[in-house]
Amino acid sequence: MTGRVDLDSVDLRILRILQNNARITNRDLAAEAGVAPSTCLDRVNRLRASGVIEGYRLKVSPEALGRPIQAFLTLRTQHSRDVLAPLAEHILAQPETRALYNIAGASDFLVLVACPDVATLQRLIVDELTSRPEIHNVETMLVFQEWEGGPLLPPDASAETE
């Protein structure tokens, strides 16, 4: 998506509903949004085509999959565009990596990982990260508990979409 998409109150209601339950049927979505099912389907398709809806994801419990140790890792790296893509590729290739962000500030990358145990977390940090010459520092922050925020809407979305 190249720029901001103009959304009306119906689009915003549809986005709010889908972000809370992406498995809702089109009929139920239309009823909650207050539009006809055909109108709702057209709007969802337009939101997809315009890039507002990027996809649908399944949220999986790391604990249920045997990866109860979650941590955020901040990485300070060599400041060079040449290292960005290969380093990102290496980090994303690690089975423990859940998300990777290139950030501004004291660190250059923020990585969310999920590991089966502390030994795996240590191996990841020592063998896969700090051993790389372009990584100068790794800081680890263990995740004790997670909360999710509400749906993402434009900054000027009014309360009428609730």
Side-chain angles (χ1 to χ4, degrees):
M1 187 165 74
T2 57
R4 183 165 173 186
V5 176
D6 288 327
L7 305 171
D8 65 17
S9 62
V10 174
D11 293 326
L12 295 173
R13 277 197 302 275
I14 289 170
L15 286 175
R16 182 182 304 278
I17 295 163
L18 283 175
Q19 286 181 76
N20 287 322
N21 179 9
R23 291 183 49 118
I24 191 171
T25 66
N26 183 63
R27 188 158 91 189
D28 291 343
L29 176 60
E32 281 192 48
V35 296
S38 59
T39 300
C40 186
L41 185 58
D42 288 344
R43 285 178 177 259
V44 169
N45 287 336
R46 183 178 53 79
L47 291 167
R48 277 193 208 121
S50 66
V52 173
I53 296 176
E54 295 182 336
Y56 300 91
R57 291 171 183 83
L58 180 68
K59 183 172 174 153
V60 177
S61 166
E63 294 85 7
L65 294 181
R67 294 180 177 273
I69 307 295
Q70 290 192 90
F72 284 100
L73 309 175
T74 59
L75 312 177
R76 274 187 278 182
T77 65
Q78 170 186 335
H79 291 276
S80 167
R81 287 201 178 273
D82 298 340
V83 304
L84 269 178
L87 180 58
E89 190 175 300
H90 177 76
I91 293 168
L92 290 170
Q94 304 310 308
E96 298 83 11
T97 301
R98 298 192 61 212
L100 173 64
Y101 305 92
N102 183 213
I103 59 175
S107 296
D108 303 301
F109 287 94
L110 178 65
V111 187
L112 175 60
V113 299
C115 300
D117 49 47
V118 175
T120 302
L121 177 60
Q122 182 182 21
R123 181 210 48 81
L124 174 68
I125 293 168
V126 174
D127 296 344
E128 299 298 337
L129 299 176
T130 59
S131 65
R132 293 185 63 98
E134 65 267 43
I135 296 179
H136 300 293
N137 186 39
V138 176
E139 289 188 29
T140 305
M141 296 165 279
L142 290 176
V143 175
F144 293 135
Q145 195 168 358
E146 176 183 347
W147 293 270
E148 286 192 28
L152 181 64
L153 298 172
D156 57 353
S158 68
E160 74 181 64
T161 63
E162 293 183 23

